[in-house]
Structure formats: C-alpha cells, structure tokens
C-alpha cells in the first residue's frame, strides 16, 4: 500500500502509466583503460594488488584504501563504502572501478566499484522518492513478460517515414537499454513525439 501511494503521487495509477514512466536519468559506464590516468571520470578494468584497509570512519561513511594494477602501474585507490569491501576486494581478483585519477595527490578516487565484467553498463534512475528503482523496473519486466502492449499515439506513417521506434519498442529499450545507441534511439523518438504534439497544438490554436 505504501509503494502504491508513492507511485500514485507520481501519477502512476495504471499499467500504461507504469510502462510510460521512463527513467529520469541514465548512468553510462563504458570501460576505457586508455583514459585511466587522464583525470576524467572513467571506468577502468584493474587487478587488485592488496586488501582494502579502513583509513577513515564516521557515523555516515567509511573510507578504504587498496592498491590496484592499472595499465601495469601500481596505483593507490580510495573509495567510500561499506564493510563488505574488506572482504570482497582481495589481491589477485579482476574488477572494474569508476572514478577519476587525482594526479596531484597521486591516487585514483573511486566512486563506484563493479565485481562483474562488462564492456558497457547502463544504470537507470527513475527518481521516485522512497521507491527503489528495482521495484519499478521489475514491475515493467512483469508487464512485458505478459505481453502487455500500449497503443501508439503517433501516426504509423510518421513512424515509418522518419524511421522512429514504435512505442512498445521504445518502452522495452527505455527500461532495459543495453547500449548507448539504444539510448539515442529512445531520445530521438521522444523528442520527435514532443515536437509532433507541440506542432499539433500550434495548428489547433491557428485554426
């Protein structure tokens, strides 16, 4: 009941509302070791060379330090996180870190850490207060698994003419993107749709 109340507060009342409630943000993680020490935010594949050691602790956060081989260089890494890091970050394992290299201080500031291997990873943020992203995503997954479809309001002739995604393909890619190109296709469809209805409203006013 509480979750339903919070969804209603975001104008999600029906299955269609849920399917058409797209993520507000997409976080892209693309592994690129060539940019590891440039000072840019980047995903890097590394090999761990030491255990994670606690160096700072407060009520709200803990900071850990570990060493990793990045492009065959031994680099000091610092990350804020939970106690699980002490046991999961172990010498000899390969993992992917996200953050930026601080050249002046000579360490890699890690903001996220991934224990699974990937070339490209996309995380979604629906930005619904007190409702986990996974709840919305799993709800959409359930609907799609049961072949629930949404009627497309855009005329088929325009979808075909401008090679746009249909609304149901847009829904699938919006909630479960796999590549950056998927995101580009979603954005193209949504921008055209916004422009289409804006043009229609202008025409109505003109008439």
């Amino acid at each position: 009941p509480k979750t339903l109340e919070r969804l209603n507060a975001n104008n999600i009342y029906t299955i269609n509302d849920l399917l058409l409630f797209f993520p507000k943000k997409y976080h892209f993680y693309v592994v690129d070791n060539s940019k590891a020490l440039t000072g840019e935010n980047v995903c890097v594949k590394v090999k761990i060379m030491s255990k994670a050691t606690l160096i700072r602790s407060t009520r709200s956060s803990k900071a850990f330090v570990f060493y990793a081989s990045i492009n065959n260089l031994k680099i000091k890494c610092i990350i804020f996180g939970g106690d699980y890091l002490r046991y999961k970050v172990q010498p000899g394992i390969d993992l992917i870190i996200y953050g930026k290299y601080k050249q002046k201080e000579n360490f890699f500031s890690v903001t996220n850490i991934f224990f699974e291997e990937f070339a490209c990873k996309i995380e979604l943020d629906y930005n619904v207060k007190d409702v986990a992203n996974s709840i919305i995503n799993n709800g959409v997954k359930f609907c799609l698994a049961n072949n629930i479809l949404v009627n497309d309001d855009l005329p088929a002739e325009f979808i075909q003419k401008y090679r746009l995604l249909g609304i149901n393909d847009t829904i699938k890619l919006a909630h479960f993107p796999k590549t950056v190109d998927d995101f580009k296709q979603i954005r193209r469809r949504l921008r055209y749709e916004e422009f289409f209805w804006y043009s229609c409203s202008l025409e109505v006013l003109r008439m």
Side-chain angles (χ1 to χ4, degrees):
K2 283 291 183 183
T3 300
L4 185 59
E5 186 180 309
R6 290 162 185 161
L7 292 176
N8 290 167
N10 285 272
N11 296 316
I12 301 175
Y13 295 94
T14 67
I15 289 175
N16 270 25
D17 293 338
L18 179 68
L19 293 173
L20 294 171
F21 190 83
F22 297 149
K24 299 295 187 293
K25 293 180 182 178
Y26 293 84
H27 302 285
F28 297 92
Y29 298 99
V30 180
V31 177
D32 188 354
N33 276 52
S34 68
K35 295 182 178 179
L37 305 180
T38 60
E40 300 177 29
N41 280 309
V42 65
C43 257
V44 183
K45 185 175 181 180
V46 306
K47 182 176 286 293
I48 302 302
M49 302 180 70
S50 72
K51 292 182 179 181
T53 305
L54 180 67
I55 57 171
R56 191 189 316 159
S57 179
T58 66
R59 287 185 179 181
S60 59
S61 65
K62 295 181 179 180
F64 293 87
V65 62
F66 60 90
Y67 286 86
S69 175
I70 304 177
N71 297 343
N72 296 318
L73 296 172
K74 185 178 180 180
I75 303 294
K76 180 180 179 181
C77 302
I78 297 177
I79 183 172
F80 287 87
D83 281 334
Y84 77 95
L85 291 169
R86 298 187 200 222
Y87 311 103
K88 294 199 73 172
V89 177
Q90 296 291 330
I93 68 169
D94 294 323
L95 49 78
I96 294 171
I97 59 176
Y98 175 80
K100 64 169 63 175
Y101 177 66
K102 306 275 190 173
Q103 189 171 7
K104 187 176 179 180
E105 297 88 350
N106 192 28
F107 73 88
F108 197 97
S109 178
V110 182
T111 54
N112 214 336
I113 191 165
F114 304 95
F115 294 91
E116 74 275 18
E117 188 168 341
F118 60 84
C120 177
K121 182 182 181 70
I122 305 173
E123 292 185 348
L124 314 178
D125 185 3
Y126 292 94
N127 195 30
V128 176
K129 187 178 180 181
D130 296 324
V131 177
N133 292 320
S134 59
I135 289 178
I136 298 176
N137 201 249
N138 287 334
V140 172
K141 184 185 293 185
F142 178 84
C143 294
L144 295 181
N146 285 276
N147 298 314
I148 295 172
L149 300 176
V150 172
N151 290 326
D152 203 326
D153 290 333
L154 275 186
E157 60 185 287
F158 291 114
I159 293 174
Q160 185 175 7
K161 180 178 179 179
Y162 296 109
R163 298 180 182 179
L164 302 170
L165 290 174
I167 190 59
N168 291 292
D169 287 331
T170 301
I171 288 169
K172 289 176 185 177
L173 289 186
H175 293 287
F176 303 99
K178 294 181 179 178
T179 66
V180 175
D181 187 59
D182 288 346
F183 172 74
K184 291 178 180 178
Q185 290 190 69
I186 299 161
R187 185 172 58 180
R188 186 169 177 268
R189 155 75 198 218
L190 296 180
R191 282 184 172 178
Y192 178 83
E193 187 171 350
E194 183 181 359
F195 175 75
F196 176 82
W197 292 115
Y198 177 69
S199 298
C200 287
S201 66
L202 290 180
E203 184 66 13
V204 169
L205 289 173
R206 187 188 67 80
M207 293 172 65

